[in-house]
Amino acid sequence: MKIVVLDGRTLNPGDNPWNPVKDVLAPADEFIVHDKSESADIIERCRGAQILLTNKTVLTGAALERLPEVKLICVLATGVNTVDVAAAKRLGITV
């Protein structure tokens, strides 16, 4: 499984290690944390991922259509206004 955090700096400004998350994953799993992602970075960074974690990085329907492996998007804040929820639903992605 591949998990990508698109804007980890907004959740963890450096004082909270990601190790507890990494420690529960299988050795073959990938857990990749990006401090910040611009819209131009999304497809390249998320290619092959099944799970995306975002806070402020916007996930448009056009981007989600290009990421067929994604099955789950977790928003690390209140609300889901950064995700095209209608497109996610149409694509079978849980938000």
Side-chain angles (χ1 to χ4, degrees), residues 7-88:
D7 46 8
R9 186 98 176 128
T10 61
L11 178 68
N12 177 8
D15 60 348
N16 200 8
W18 291 101
N19 292 347
V21 177
K22 294 176 186 178
D23 291 345
V24 298
L25 299 175
D29 291 338
E30 289 182 79
F31 183 74
I32 303 164
V33 179
H34 299 284
D35 281 345
K36 183 178 180 185
S37 297
E38 302 296 333
S39 59
D41 303 324
I42 293 170
I43 302 304
E44 180 66 30
R45 290 181 174 182
C46 297
R47 189 171 284 124
Q50 291 79 37
I51 301 173
L52 305 179
L53 283 72
T54 187
N55 182 346
K56 305 220 182 280
T57 303
V58 175
L59 296 171
T60 65
L64 296 176
E65 289 171 357
R66 296 182 57 195
L67 300 167
E69 295 88 358
V70 174
K71 300 298 176 211
L72 175 65
I73 298 171
C74 299
V75 180
L76 305 173
T78 55
V80 291
N81 60 315
T82 57
V83 179
D84 185 335
V85 176

